[in-house]
Amino acid sequence: MNAPSLYLLHTQPDARLLAAWVARHHARHERQPSDLGDALHGLLRAAFGEHAPQPFRYLDGHQGLLAYTTLDADAMRAHVALADPLAAQTLGLGASGEHDGYRLRPFPTQWPQGQVLGFEVRLRPTVRAAKGERDVFLQAVEQARGAPLQREMVYLQWLREHLAPREGATCEVWQGAVDLLDDVHLAGYQRQQVVRRTQATDGEARRGHVIDGPDALLKGHLRVRDSQAFAHLLARGVGRHRAFGFGMLLLSRPS
Protein backbone atom coordinates (compact mmCIF):
# COMPACT_ATOMS: atom_id res chain seq x y z
CA MET A 1 0.00 0.00 0.00
CA ASN A 2 1.54 3.30 -1.10
CA ALA A 3 1.73 6.09 1.43
CA PRO A 4 -0.73 8.96 0.78
CA SER A 5 0.53 12.41 -0.14
CA LEU A 6 1.27 14.33 3.02
CA TYR A 7 1.42 18.05 3.78
CA LEU A 8 2.52 20.04 6.81
CA LEU A 9 0.05 22.74 7.84
CA HIS A 10 1.07 25.69 10.01
CA THR A 11 -1.40 28.19 11.45
CA GLN A 12 -1.07 31.03 13.92
CA PRO A 13 -4.22 30.97 16.08
CA ASP A 14 -5.40 34.31 17.41
CA ALA A 15 -4.61 34.18 21.15
CA ARG A 16 -7.53 36.41 22.17
CA LEU A 17 -10.09 34.57 20.08
CA LEU A 18 -8.68 31.22 21.14
CA ALA A 19 -9.00 32.12 24.82
CA ALA A 20 -12.61 33.25 24.21
CA TRP A 21 -13.38 30.01 22.33
CA VAL A 22 -11.96 27.92 25.19
CA ALA A 23 -13.93 29.98 27.75
CA ARG A 24 -17.20 29.46 25.83
CA HIS A 25 -16.40 25.79 25.40
CA HIS A 26 -15.70 25.48 29.14
CA ALA A 27 -18.87 27.39 30.07
CA ARG A 28 -21.00 24.82 28.25
CA HIS A 29 -19.47 22.12 30.44
CA GLU A 30 -18.94 23.99 33.70
CA ARG A 31 -18.34 20.87 35.78
CA GLN A 32 -15.44 19.83 33.60
CA PRO A 33 -11.93 21.29 33.37
CA SER A 34 -10.87 23.48 30.48
CA ASP A 35 -9.07 21.34 27.89
CA LEU A 36 -7.21 23.21 25.14
CA GLY A 37 -6.77 20.03 23.10
CA ASP A 38 -10.51 19.39 23.13
CA ALA A 39 -11.22 23.01 22.19
CA LEU A 40 -8.74 22.89 19.27
CA HIS A 41 -10.27 19.60 18.16
CA GLY A 42 -13.64 21.37 18.02
CA LEU A 43 -12.16 24.32 16.13
CA LEU A 44 -10.56 22.11 13.50
CA ARG A 45 -13.78 20.14 13.10
CA ALA A 46 -15.73 23.38 12.73
CA ALA A 47 -13.33 24.55 10.03
CA PHE A 48 -12.67 21.31 8.13
CA GLY A 49 -15.40 18.85 9.13
CA GLU A 50 -14.40 15.23 8.70
CA HIS A 51 -11.21 16.38 6.94
CA ALA A 52 -9.85 18.07 10.09
CA PRO A 53 -6.04 17.80 10.03
CA GLN A 54 -4.57 15.34 12.50
CA PRO A 55 -2.37 14.57 14.26
CA PHE A 56 -1.69 18.14 15.34
CA ARG A 57 0.43 19.89 17.93
CA TYR A 58 -0.22 23.32 19.43
CA LEU A 59 3.18 24.61 20.47
CA ASP A 60 2.39 27.99 22.03
CA GLY A 61 1.04 31.44 21.21
CA HIS A 62 4.22 32.38 19.36
CA GLN A 63 4.96 29.20 17.40
CA GLY A 64 1.36 28.33 16.63
CA LEU A 65 -0.16 25.04 15.52
CA LEU A 66 1.31 22.34 13.29
CA ALA A 67 -0.62 19.46 11.73
CA TYR A 68 -0.20 16.78 9.11
CA THR A 69 -2.90 16.62 6.46
CA THR A 70 -3.58 14.86 3.16
CA LEU A 71 -5.32 17.96 1.77
CA ASP A 72 -3.32 19.48 -1.10
CA ALA A 73 -3.17 23.20 -1.85
CA ASP A 74 -6.38 23.28 -3.93
CA ALA A 75 -8.36 21.19 -1.45
CA MET A 76 -7.08 23.28 1.46
CA ARG A 77 -8.15 26.53 -0.23
CA ALA A 78 -11.61 25.09 -0.87
CA HIS A 79 -12.04 23.98 2.75
CA VAL A 80 -10.80 27.30 4.13
CA ALA A 81 -13.20 29.17 1.86
CA LEU A 82 -16.15 27.16 3.22
CA ALA A 83 -15.01 27.04 6.86
CA ASP A 84 -17.00 28.41 9.77
CA PRO A 85 -15.88 32.09 9.77
CA LEU A 86 -15.23 32.35 13.50
CA ALA A 87 -13.35 29.04 13.59
CA ALA A 88 -11.24 30.09 10.60
CA GLN A 89 -10.44 33.46 12.17
CA THR A 90 -9.60 31.88 15.52
CA LEU A 91 -7.29 29.33 13.90
CA GLY A 92 -5.57 32.07 11.88
CA LEU A 93 -6.41 30.52 8.52
CA GLY A 94 -6.81 33.92 6.85
CA ALA A 95 -4.36 36.79 6.55
CA SER A 96 -4.32 39.40 9.31
CA GLY A 97 -2.23 42.34 10.37
CA GLU A 98 0.16 39.93 12.10
CA HIS A 99 0.61 37.16 9.51
CA ASP A 100 -0.29 36.04 5.99
CA GLY A 101 -2.59 33.19 6.99
CA TYR A 102 -2.00 29.47 6.98
CA ARG A 103 1.03 27.90 5.34
CA LEU A 104 1.05 24.51 3.64
CA ARG A 105 4.03 22.66 2.25
CA PRO A 106 4.49 19.15 0.87
CA PHE A 107 6.06 16.72 3.32
CA PRO A 108 8.26 13.80 2.22
CA THR A 109 6.72 10.36 1.86
CA GLN A 110 9.96 8.71 0.73
CA TRP A 111 12.68 8.30 3.35
CA PRO A 112 16.01 6.51 2.80
CA GLN A 113 16.30 3.36 4.83
CA GLY A 114 18.76 3.98 7.65
CA GLN A 115 18.27 7.76 7.69
CA VAL A 116 18.66 9.23 11.17
CA LEU A 117 16.32 12.05 12.22
CA GLY A 118 15.76 14.04 15.37
CA PHE A 119 12.24 13.86 16.73
CA GLU A 120 9.96 14.91 19.53
CA VAL A 121 6.47 13.71 20.27
CA ARG A 122 3.86 14.60 22.87
CA LEU A 123 2.11 11.46 24.12
CA ARG A 124 -0.41 10.03 26.56
CA PRO A 125 1.28 6.71 27.40
CA THR A 126 -1.71 4.78 28.69
CA VAL A 127 -3.22 1.32 28.53
CA ARG A 128 -6.87 0.39 28.37
CA ALA A 129 -8.50 -0.21 31.73
CA ALA A 130 -11.94 -1.14 33.06
CA LYS A 131 -12.85 2.53 33.51
CA GLY A 132 -11.28 3.87 30.30
CA GLU A 133 -7.51 4.15 30.42
CA ARG A 134 -4.68 4.17 32.91
CA ASP A 135 -1.15 5.59 33.07
CA VAL A 136 1.11 2.75 31.91
CA PHE A 137 3.64 3.72 34.62
CA LEU A 138 1.09 3.27 37.40
CA GLN A 139 0.15 -0.13 36.02
CA ALA A 140 3.82 -1.12 35.81
CA VAL A 141 4.39 -0.05 39.44
CA GLU A 142 1.46 -2.18 40.54
CA GLN A 143 2.73 -5.19 38.63
CA ALA A 144 6.32 -4.71 39.86
CA ARG A 145 5.26 -5.40 43.47
CA GLY A 146 7.73 -3.02 45.06
CA ALA A 147 10.61 -3.31 42.58
CA PRO A 148 12.03 0.14 41.71
CA LEU A 149 10.93 1.57 38.38
CA GLN A 150 11.75 4.74 36.46
CA ARG A 151 8.92 6.56 34.74
CA GLU A 152 11.18 7.40 31.79
CA MET A 153 12.09 3.74 31.18
CA VAL A 154 8.44 2.65 31.32
CA TYR A 155 7.39 5.34 28.83
CA LEU A 156 10.28 4.51 26.48
CA GLN A 157 9.28 0.84 26.52
CA TRP A 158 5.67 1.84 25.81
CA LEU A 159 6.84 3.87 22.80
CA ARG A 160 9.01 1.04 21.51
CA GLU A 161 6.08 -1.36 21.73
CA HIS A 162 3.94 1.05 19.72
CA LEU A 163 6.59 1.24 17.02
CA ALA A 164 7.68 -2.41 16.96
CA PRO A 165 6.37 -5.01 14.50
CA ARG A 166 3.65 -7.23 15.91
CA GLU A 167 2.73 -10.69 14.67
CA GLY A 168 -0.39 -10.62 12.53
CA ALA A 169 -0.51 -6.81 12.36
CA THR A 170 -1.05 -6.81 8.60
CA CYS A 171 -3.34 -3.77 8.70
CA GLU A 172 -1.08 -1.77 10.98
CA VAL A 173 1.41 -0.87 8.27
CA TRP A 174 3.14 1.77 10.41
CA GLN A 175 4.46 -0.88 12.79
CA GLY A 176 8.19 -1.51 12.46
CA ALA A 177 8.74 1.84 10.78
CA VAL A 178 11.69 3.00 12.90
CA ASP A 179 14.25 2.10 15.51
CA LEU A 180 14.73 4.41 18.48
CA LEU A 181 18.31 5.41 19.25
CA ASP A 182 19.81 5.36 22.72
CA ASP A 183 19.46 9.10 23.35
CA VAL A 184 15.64 9.09 23.46
CA HIS A 185 14.56 10.54 26.78
CA LEU A 186 11.64 11.97 28.72
CA ALA A 187 11.97 15.73 28.20
CA GLY A 188 8.78 16.78 29.97
CA TYR A 189 5.99 15.32 32.07
CA GLN A 190 2.84 16.48 33.81
CA ARG A 191 -0.48 15.00 34.82
CA GLN A 192 -3.38 16.44 32.90
CA GLN A 193 -7.13 16.08 32.92
CA VAL A 194 -8.67 15.91 29.46
CA VAL A 195 -12.30 15.95 28.37
CA ARG A 196 -13.61 13.39 25.91
CA ARG A 197 -17.19 13.05 24.67
CA THR A 198 -19.46 10.11 24.01
CA GLN A 199 -21.09 9.69 20.63
CA ALA A 200 -24.56 11.19 20.26
CA THR A 201 -27.39 8.67 20.28
CA ASP A 202 -31.07 8.95 19.44
CA GLY A 203 -32.65 11.31 21.93
CA GLU A 204 -29.44 11.80 23.92
CA ALA A 205 -26.81 14.48 23.39
CA ARG A 206 -23.07 13.84 23.61
CA ARG A 207 -21.80 13.76 27.17
CA GLY A 208 -18.34 14.73 28.32
CA HIS A 209 -16.26 12.83 30.82
CA VAL A 210 -12.94 13.67 32.42
CA ILE A 211 -9.89 11.44 32.03
CA ASP A 212 -6.85 11.98 34.23
CA GLY A 213 -3.55 10.79 32.84
CA PRO A 214 0.02 11.48 31.76
CA ASP A 215 1.15 14.19 29.36
CA ALA A 216 4.68 13.22 28.31
CA LEU A 217 7.18 14.75 25.89
CA LEU A 218 9.77 12.36 24.45
CA LYS A 219 12.78 13.56 22.46
CA GLY A 220 15.77 11.99 20.77
CA HIS A 221 16.73 10.40 17.48
CA LEU A 222 15.25 7.61 15.38
CA ARG A 223 16.47 5.60 12.42
CA VAL A 224 14.12 4.90 9.51
CA ARG A 225 13.63 1.19 9.14
CA ASP A 226 10.91 1.05 6.49
CA SER A 227 10.28 4.10 4.30
CA GLN A 228 6.66 3.32 3.45
CA ALA A 229 5.73 2.35 7.00
CA PHE A 230 7.38 5.51 8.31
CA ALA A 231 5.30 7.68 5.96
CA HIS A 232 2.13 5.97 7.22
CA LEU A 233 3.28 6.46 10.81
CA LEU A 234 3.71 10.20 10.30
CA ALA A 235 0.25 10.54 8.76
CA ARG A 236 -1.40 8.49 11.52
CA GLY A 237 0.49 9.59 14.63
CA VAL A 238 1.42 7.62 17.76
CA GLY A 239 -0.84 6.37 20.53
CA ARG A 240 -4.30 7.57 21.50
CA HIS A 241 -5.86 11.07 21.50
CA ARG A 242 -4.26 11.90 18.14
CA ALA A 243 -7.17 14.20 17.24
CA PHE A 244 -6.63 16.19 20.45
CA GLY A 245 -3.02 17.37 20.20
CA PHE A 246 -1.08 14.18 20.96
CA GLY A 247 0.95 11.76 18.84
CA MET A 248 2.38 14.08 16.18
CA LEU A 249 5.99 13.23 15.35
CA LEU A 250 7.90 16.47 14.80
CA LEU A 251 11.11 15.85 12.86
CA SER A 252 14.41 17.71 12.60
CA ARG A 253 17.89 17.24 11.23
CA PRO A 254 20.03 15.10 13.54
CA SER A 255 22.07 17.18 15.96
Side-chain angles (χ1 to χ4, degrees):
M1 180 198 251
N2 293 327
S5 297
L6 193 65
Y7 300 85
L8 180 63
L9 172 69
H10 174 255
T11 75
Q12 191 68 51
D14 182 294
R16 180 182 59 83
L17 293 177
L18 180 58
W21 181 285
V22 172
R24 286 194 300 273
H25 189 78
H26 180 55
R28 292 197 298 269
H29 310 281
E30 57 182 318
R31 295 184 180 179
Q32 297 165 1
S34 177
D35 178 1
L36 180 58
D38 184 49
L40 286 167
H41 168 80
L43 270 169
L44 289 166
R45 292 286 294 187
F48 295 97
E50 63 182 14
H51 298 284
Q54 71 173 69
F56 72 84
R57 172 91 176 272
Y58 180 72
L59 298 169
D60 55 40
H62 176 68
Q63 299 177 86
L65 180 145
L66 294 169
Y68 291 131
T69 178
T70 57
L71 297 175
D72 62 18
D74 290 339
M76 181 63 66
R77 278 193 294 269
H79 279 282
V80 170
L82 297 174
D84 174 89
L86 180 57
Q89 186 180 6
T90 303
L91 286 169
L93 297 178
S96 70
E98 299 179 356
H99 57 78
D100 296 327
Y102 74 88
R103 290 183 291 174
L104 186 73
R105 64 179 173 89
F107 208 72
T109 55
Q110 296 294 322
W111 302 87
Q113 184 176 0
Q115 181 174 358
V116 173
L117 296 164
F119 82 94
E120 69 173 64
V121 59
R122 181 188 178 211
L123 297 168
R124 279 182 72 85
T126 61
V127 292
R128 294 186 184 276
K131 295 183 179 180
E133 62 183 35
R134 189 181 188 196
D135 187 335
V136 68
F137 174 70
L138 297 181
Q139 176 171 282
V141 168
E142 183 178 285
Q143 295 175 345
R145 300 180 182 276
L149 288 176
Q150 291 184 328
R151 185 180 296 274
E152 180 176 71
M153 293 300 101
V154 173
Y155 287 172
L156 289 180
Q157 180 59 28
W158 180 93
L159 179 58
R160 288 190 179 96
E161 289 174 358
H162 277 70
L163 299 176
R166 292 186 294 186
E167 184 178 355
T170 54
C171 295
E172 298 177 349
V173 294
W174 64 89
Q175 298 290 345
V178 302
D179 291 316
L180 300 181
L181 302 190
D182 291 339
D183 69 336
V184 179
H185 62 283
L186 181 64
Y189 164 78
Q190 63 178 339
R191 295 203 66 77
Q192 185 192 37
Q193 289 185 328
V194 299
V195 179
R196 299 296 178 260
R197 310 193 188 286
T198 60
Q199 295 296 321
T201 57
D202 293 339
E204 186 175 342
R206 298 180 67 190
R207 292 180 298 168
H209 61 284
V210 177
I211 307 173
D212 183 72
D215 184 342
L217 183 67
L218 294 175
K219 291 185 178 183
H221 289 82
L222 55 81
R223 180 181 290 110
V224 177
R225 186 176 181 183
D226 183 311
S227 177
Q228 183 173 299
F230 184 50
H232 280 281
L233 172 66
L234 291 175
R236 178 188 183 274
V238 182
R240 303 186 67 194
H241 304 275
R242 297 183 303 277
F244 297 89
F246 293 90
M248 182 181 186
L249 279 164
L250 299 181
L251 304 178
S252 62
R253 294 185 181 89
S255 58

